[in-house]
């Protein structure tokens, strides 16, 4: 089995655990074709979800099964340039926050959601979602940030040093070791772990980085809502300090800390609580 076909088999195995039926679409954007996996009632309020770096859209299946797909039409997106089934356009690499905003504009245009969109993201996906909300406040009704990185707090140096070998030269062994360290050995879905092993075969693409997003414009809109959930045992930042910074930056936001969970265990663990928040 080739590396590509083995990745696809692992991807489909995790996607097969989602509550059906699941609709898959490949949307054209200026930066390549974007794969979106959708489930839930077709006329329900739209919920667009971005995964953390390297996780693929399939990571949201636990939240879908826990109830998010009963109350919303859930659209989980594979990030362009990251492991997944999105295909980058030759010569059109995402290089800036403005590029990410343009890419997500095209994704939302392609989905054609009915009514105000709830946009959610985990980790790096939350950073993208926050920047989109800052730039396109009028397109969203609600923003949900799940243990966001580089939004309200920087990364701990120790975490960066531990992650560096995985970023520079990923191998299945390094990926498993890093996840075991960060999650404290949490029991993660075996099928998802096999998919994470397969991500080691993807070419390394430098992620877009930049300043922290200014969410003032979005938070100031009438009816806009921001929910932020931090992981108590996250090693990437101090959850308590990050939560205090979020409350200070966004006084009207709902900010909470999920007890007993680590950064990279989300959104697989605590799926019921996350789904309840997403469904509100």
């Amino acid at each position: 089995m080739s590396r590509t076909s083995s990745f696809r088999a692992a991807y489909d195995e995790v996607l097969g655990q989602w509550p059906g039926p699941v609709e898959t679409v490949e949307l054209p954007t200026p930066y390549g074709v974007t794969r979106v996996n959708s489930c839930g009632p077709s006329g329900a309020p739209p919920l667009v979800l971005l995964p953390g770096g390297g996780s693929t859209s399939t990571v949201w299946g636990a939240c879908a099964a826990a109830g998010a797909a009963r109350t919303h039409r859930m659209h989980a997106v594979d990030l362009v340039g990251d492991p997944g089934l999105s295909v980058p356009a030759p010569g059109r690499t995402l290089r800036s926050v403005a590029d990410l905003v343009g890419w997500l504009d095209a994704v939302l245009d392609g989905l054609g959601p009915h009514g105000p969109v709830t946009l959610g993201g985990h980790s790096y996906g939350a950073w993208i979602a926050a920047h989109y909300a800052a730039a396109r406040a009028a397109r969203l009704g609600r923003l949900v940030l799940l243990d966001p990185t580089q939004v309200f707090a920087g990364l701990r140096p120790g975490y960066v040093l531990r992650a560096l070998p995985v970023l520079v030269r990923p191998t299945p062994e390094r990926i498993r070791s890093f996840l075991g360290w960060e999650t404290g050995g949490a029991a993660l879905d075996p099928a998802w772990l096999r998919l994470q092993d397969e991500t080691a075969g993807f070419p390394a693409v430098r992620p877009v980085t930049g300043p922290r997003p200014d969410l003032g414009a979005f938070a100031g809109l009438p009816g806009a809502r921001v929910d932020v959930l931090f992981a108590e045992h996250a090693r990437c930042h101090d959850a308590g300090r990050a939560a205090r910074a979020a409350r200070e930056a966004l006084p009207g936001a709902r900010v909470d800390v999920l007890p007993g969970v680590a950064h990279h265990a989300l959104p697989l663990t605590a799926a019921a609580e996350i789904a309840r928040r997403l469904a509100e």
Side-chain angles (χ1 to χ4, degrees):
M1 180 178 287
S2 71
R3 179 177 292 170
T4 300
S5 60
S6 62
F7 174 86
R8 181 60 184 262
Y11 183 104
D12 287 343
E13 181 182 3
V14 180
L15 192 61
Q17 298 175 351
W18 283 35
V22 178
E23 179 185 356
T24 63
V25 294
E26 295 180 344
L27 301 175
T29 78
Y31 300 94
V33 175
T34 298
R35 167 69 174 253
V36 181
N37 297 307
S38 304
C39 64
S42 59
L47 171 62
V48 178
L49 298 172
L50 307 179
S55 293
T56 82
S57 62
T58 65
V59 75
W60 293 104
C63 292
R70 288 197 293 269
T71 57
H72 285 72
R73 179 63 172 172
M74 196 181 98
H75 306 285
V77 182
D78 278 344
L79 304 179
V80 169
D82 242 33
L85 299 184
S86 292
V87 181
R92 289 300 307 273
T93 305
L94 291 161
R95 299 185 184 278
S96 66
V97 169
D99 290 345
L100 287 170
V101 170
W103 164 71
L104 201 44
D105 272 339
V107 171
L108 293 184
D109 289 343
L111 289 173
H114 302 289
V117 173
T118 294
L119 179 63
H122 170 234
S123 189
Y124 179 60
W127 182 84
I128 296 173
H131 269 292
Y132 189 80
R136 298 287 189 268
R139 293 201 71 167
L140 306 179
R142 184 178 172 213
L143 179 67
V144 181
L145 305 177
L146 182 59
D147 213 36
T149 49
Q150 305 282 60
V151 176
F152 303 105
L155 297 175
R156 283 172 165 164
Y159 173 86
V160 175
L161 287 174
R162 196 70 183 242
L164 201 57
V166 181
L167 297 173
V168 173
R169 191 169 67 85
T171 66
E173 294 76 21
R174 287 181 174 184
I175 291 170
R176 293 266 184 147
S177 175
F178 176 72
L179 289 174
W181 167 77
E182 201 285 324
T183 65
L188 302 176
D189 175 38
W192 183 78
L193 284 173
R194 285 192 292 275
L195 177 57
Q196 291 307 107
D197 291 344
E198 293 294 336
T199 66
F202 272 72
V205 176
R206 182 180 177 85
V208 175
T209 57
R212 295 181 188 177
D214 180 1
L215 290 170
F218 177 75
L221 286 180
R225 176 175 169 182
V226 182
D227 291 81
V228 190
L229 292 171
F230 290 99
E232 180 187 25
H233 294 163
R235 291 182 182 263
C236 55
H237 49 220
D238 183 300
R241 289 181 180 178
R244 288 193 293 273
R247 294 186 185 106
E248 184 176 328
L250 300 170
R254 181 178 179 182
V255 181
D256 291 300
V257 177
L258 290 169
V261 295
H263 179 80
H264 287 282
L266 299 175
L268 297 170
T269 56
E273 176 62 17
I274 295 167
R276 185 179 71 80
R277 298 297 185 92
L278 290 171
E280 288 178 348

